[in-house]
């Protein structure tokens, strides 16, 4: 039987570390979030592409805009 992977388990695995990650530029905690972007296929059809991104105050406006 294969292992069941939930969204919470994947997010915990992606963001696991020994302590909080602090951005050296803005001195805020770096959070890991999952975003869905578009991936263009061969025939220019839309397809979802999910990925984990590190988010802090420096790149918050770029990613969440």
């Amino acid at each position: 039987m294969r292992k069941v992977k939930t969204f919470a388990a994947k997010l915990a695995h992606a963001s696991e570390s020994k302590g909080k990650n602090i951005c050296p530029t803005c001195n805020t905690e770096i959070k890991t979030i999952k975003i869905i972007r578009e991936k263009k296929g061969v025939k220019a059809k839309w397809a979802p592409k999910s990925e984990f991104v590190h988010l802090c105050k420096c790149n918050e406006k770029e990613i969440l805009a």
Side-chain angles (χ1 to χ4, degrees), residues 12-59:
H13 178 71
S15 64
E16 100 182 355
S17 64
K18 297 195 182 218
K20 293 183 179 179
N21 292 337
I22 303 294
C23 178
T25 309
C26 62
N27 289 333
T28 57
E29 182 182 355
I30 298 174
K31 299 175 188 173
T32 303
I33 61 169
K34 183 177 182 178
I35 61 171
I36 298 174
R37 295 186 179 172
E38 67 176 312
K39 174 177 71 174
K40 297 231 176 172
V42 178
K43 297 180 181 179
K45 292 185 178 179
W46 186 86
K49 176 184 174 188
S50 62
E51 58 184 290
F52 289 100
V53 177
H54 299 290
L55 182 73
C56 69
K57 291 287 183 185
C58 300
N59 60 358

